[in-house]
Amino acid sequence: MPDEVREAINKGHNAMAPTGIDGLDDVLGGGLQRRRLYLVEGVPGSGKTTLALQFLRTAVARGEGVLYVTLSETLEELNSVAASHGWSLDGVLVHEMMPSEGVLDPDEQSTMFHPSEIELAQTTRSILADVDRHNPTCVVIDSLSELRMLSGSPLRYRRQILALKQYFASRGCIVILLDDMTGADEPDVQVQSIVHAVLRLEQLNPEYGSDRRRLRVVKYRAQSFRGGYHDYCIRRGGLQVFPRLVAAEHRQELSRGKLESGISELDALMGGGIEQGTSTLFVGAAGTGKSTLAAQFAAAAASRGEHVACFIFDESTATLLTRTAQLGIPLAEGVEKGLVTIRPVDPAELSPGELVHQVRLAVEEDNAVLVVIDSLNGYLNAMPGERYLAIQLHEMLAYLSQRNVATILVAAHQGLIGQMTVTVDATYLADAVVLLRFFEARGEIRQALSVVKKRGGSHERTIREFGLENGAIKVGEALRQFRGVLTGVPTYEGADPPLTKEHER
């Protein structure tokens, strides 16, 4: 390593060293402090090696010398891991400490001494000699399971870790110890008490869908970090970490306007439209037109030159664009202009943390003024293994409110006419609730629309007829001569023709 790089590191030895994983650096409060010992623990397959290689490659890019000491993997295996991510290990010095062939030869095995008395000392001397020879600033030791077994006793193992800590501190190194936890039934509290920080990687196996991964900073001395669990995934290019969203960190005072739908009767019913910074829930039976109304608001925003992000769980992009085109909703034009972004979501493959991350990108990078989530049934019910999705949804809505972004949520009732049941009750989360219902009148199935809740704003309290007729959305007059529309089987109490089609005839 060049002397000027070493000198710069020594001058700023208290500065943070970025890991090369943006989301992880955010969780850690900037990265890893220098001259410290770190523990990364997790079951095999959780991404420890990938994380370590990302960190070392980032250090190499800064001009630092690095060393990867492997006690369980060969150089060929490490190169294979790197190649799977499109990486090269150029600049990363790899020191293999694999068992020699003599271990398999009974004649070469010692029967007088315990392995901890021979192999542990040899392993330690070899590691320290490499450090003295190459003088790295960043070191990874993979893995502690081998040292734990070579030590023979907890006391000897603890003393060995303490000795390594003191030695590397004197050298000014950042040291990451990887522990696959195969030699212990529980996390190693002895090592956790010694190291400066502990990062735990967890791999979850839901009953359906791909594996889910999350991480947590167990401790980080003298450093403020983001607590709790954070979802992450392993893809080509390395780890992607999605820090847990904390809405309170995004508070700001902004003026709030209204987003109109472009349908005067609908806007009048909703008190002028949807307020920025609020969430609106469209709820009703399947087929009542909830997604169509959401698409109308999205297309209207795009026609004003505003950006919209749609996250759809229940239909494909092609189906959505075809259906809206047939109703005269110019959603496809917004997509072509780059003003409307449609992201199909497969909840079996996407973790809640990654979905929140995509919403944040839409708001902070694309400047979206409207976010549509269609539907909550897909968001909440398709991931039954996630216990706290409702809390995550609340945090996301609070974040969008503080960013002055309007949110449309779509949720479906179970049933068609009569008593409705709710699979996902998000009415308490939304600032406004728009109810769509089927009802029967004179042998026909009709649709009704009403606003049953709206915080901080006036709205009509009428129930209007609603329909998708002649290639257009149509909102009729208030159904004042009916009683019991919301039950699905109303009673007509007027004398004039009551419904839109009959007036047209």
Side-chain angles (χ1 to χ4, degrees):
M1 180 179 60
D3 293 338
E4 58 271 18
V5 175
R6 169 68 73 175
E7 184 179 353
I9 292 173
N10 290 335
K11 287 182 178 179
H13 64 272
N14 291 324
M16 289 286 189
T19 63
I21 307 170
D22 293 338
L24 181 57
D25 289 336
D26 181 90
V27 170
L28 295 172
L32 303 181
Q33 296 177 0
R34 295 189 179 275
R35 303 173 183 270
R36 297 290 185 266
L37 190 69
Y38 298 88
L39 173 64
V40 177
E41 59 183 19
V43 298
S46 56
K48 301 180 300 298
T49 300
T50 302
L51 185 154
L53 291 178
Q54 278 184 270
F55 170 67
L56 293 183
R57 292 183 73 252
T58 302
V60 169
R62 294 193 297 264
E64 300 185 37
V66 303
L67 174 64
Y68 192 107
V69 179
T70 172
L71 304 174
S72 56
E73 292 188 86
T74 65
L75 176 58
E76 181 182 357
E77 290 173 321
L78 291 176
N79 278 321
S80 178
V81 172
S84 69
H85 293 291
W87 298 339
S88 168
L89 293 185
D90 293 344
V92 177
L93 178 64
V94 178
H95 180 70
E96 292 184 82
M97 293 290 297
M98 303 296 291
S100 63
E101 295 180 359
V103 174
L104 300 177
D105 186 354
D107 295 334
E108 296 292 330
Q109 295 181 10
S110 171
T111 58
M112 297 181 61
F113 300 98
H114 191 276
S116 63
E117 299 179 54
I118 301 176
E119 296 180 41
L120 181 62
Q122 293 175 348
T123 299
T124 303
R125 281 197 299 270
S126 179
I127 293 173
L128 301 188
D130 243 17
V131 173
D132 289 336
R133 186 180 309 113
H134 300 286
N135 197 25
T137 60
C138 302
V139 178
V140 171
I141 299 179
D142 181 10
S143 76
L144 287 186
S145 298
E146 305 299 326
L147 290 180
R148 186 184 295 114
M149 289 185 286
L150 287 175
S151 298
S153 69
L155 176 61
R156 187 178 180 90
Y157 176 55
R158 180 180 176 86
R159 287 181 175 175
Q160 187 70 22
I161 299 300
L162 281 171
L164 289 173
K165 177 182 178 180
Q166 295 171 357
Y167 170 78
F168 283 115
S170 67
R171 304 283 307 189
C173 296
I174 297 175
V175 182
I176 296 179
L177 306 175
L178 305 184
D179 188 1
D180 58 19
M181 303 168 64
T182 55
D185 296 332
E186 297 179 355
D188 196 330
V189 180
Q190 292 285 351
V191 177
Q192 288 185 359
S193 67
I194 296 173
V195 299
H196 190 67
V198 178
L199 180 64
R200 181 175 301 160
L201 307 182
E202 297 184 4
Q203 182 167 301
L204 309 177
N205 306 105
E207 293 181 1
Y208 180 80
S210 63
D211 295 341
R212 300 285 172 84
R213 294 181 172 91
R214 64 183 186 178
L215 61 84
R216 182 169 73 92
V217 180
V218 178
K219 80 168 192 177
Y220 199 163
R221 289 180 183 143
Q223 173 65 25
S224 176
F225 61 89
R226 193 180 297 273
Y229 284 105
H230 313 273
D231 291 337
Y232 73 96
C233 64
I234 304 175
R235 294 189 177 133
R236 183 174 175 81
L239 265 68
Q240 288 181 273
V241 178
F242 312 108
R244 181 174 59 85
L245 178 63
V246 180
E249 298 176 353
H250 302 273
R251 288 176 180 162
Q252 52 186 334
E253 295 296 330
L254 297 169
S255 60
R256 294 188 170 183
K258 292 186 177 181
L259 303 181
E260 298 179 348
S261 68
I263 301 174
S264 58
E265 295 86 356
L266 178 59
D267 292 333
L269 182 66
M270 299 187 66
I274 295 176
E275 283 81 6
Q276 290 180 284
T278 65
S279 56
T280 301
L281 174 65
F282 291 155
V283 61
T288 49
K290 304 178 299 298
S291 299
T292 301
L293 282 182
Q296 176 64 36
F297 276 97
S303 67
R304 297 189 295 268
E306 298 167 331
H307 289 262
V308 180
C310 301
F311 297 88
I312 57 175
F313 289 77
D314 304 327
E315 62 182 332
S316 67
T317 301
T319 302
L320 175 62
L321 294 179
T322 301
R323 183 168 55 79
T324 53
Q326 292 173 348
L327 292 170
I329 301 174
L331 190 64
E333 295 179 13
V335 173
E336 292 172 0
K337 294 178 181 178
L339 296 173
V340 176
T341 303
I342 300 176
R343 293 183 172 89
V345 178
D346 182 356
E349 299 297 326
L350 192 71
S351 67
E354 186 172 358
L355 175 62
V356 171
H357 177 72
Q358 290 189 3
V359 171
R360 290 187 62 183
L361 291 179
V363 172
E364 296 171 14
E365 295 186 2
D366 299 337
N367 299 314
V369 300
L370 175 63
V371 170
V372 177
I373 297 179
D374 184 6
S375 68
L376 286 182
N377 303 73
Y379 176 55
L380 295 176
N381 290 346
M383 293 182 275
E386 306 291 347
R387 297 174 53 194
Y388 302 108
L389 280 173
I391 299 176
Q392 281 191 312
L393 179 62
H394 179 276
E395 198 74 9
M396 183 174 68
L397 292 178
Y399 159 78
L400 292 170
S401 175
Q402 290 161 7
R403 298 286 301 195
N404 209 32
V405 176
T407 310
I408 292 178
L409 309 171
V410 176
H413 280 159
Q414 287 186 345
L416 294 175
I417 290 181
Q419 186 67 34
M420 298 285 106
T421 58
V422 180
T423 56
V424 180
D425 185 10
T427 55
Y428 71 99
L429 292 176
D431 297 305
V433 177
V434 179
L435 177 64
L436 294 91
R437 288 298 304 265
F438 287 122
F439 70 97
E440 181 215 347
R442 301 191 179 187
E444 293 187 12
I445 295 176
R446 306 285 184 139
Q447 291 155 262
L449 176 71
S450 59
V451 179
V452 297
K453 168 188 174 182
K454 189 174 183 182
R455 293 186 183 129
S458 61
H459 64 91
E460 282 190 16
R461 307 193 72 84
T462 60
I463 302 173
R464 288 178 178 256
E465 187 185 4
F466 166 73
L468 309 174
E469 302 169 8
N470 301 321
I473 296 176
K474 192 161 188 178
V475 178
E477 298 295 327
L479 299 173
R480 299 186 184 279
Q481 297 176 340
F482 282 89
R483 174 171 54 84
V485 171
L486 297 185
T487 67
V489 187
T491 301
Y492 179 63
E493 297 179 334
D496 298 327
L499 300 170
T500 302
K501 286 183 179 180
E502 298 189 9
H503 281 295
E504 293 174 353
R505 292 172 189 166

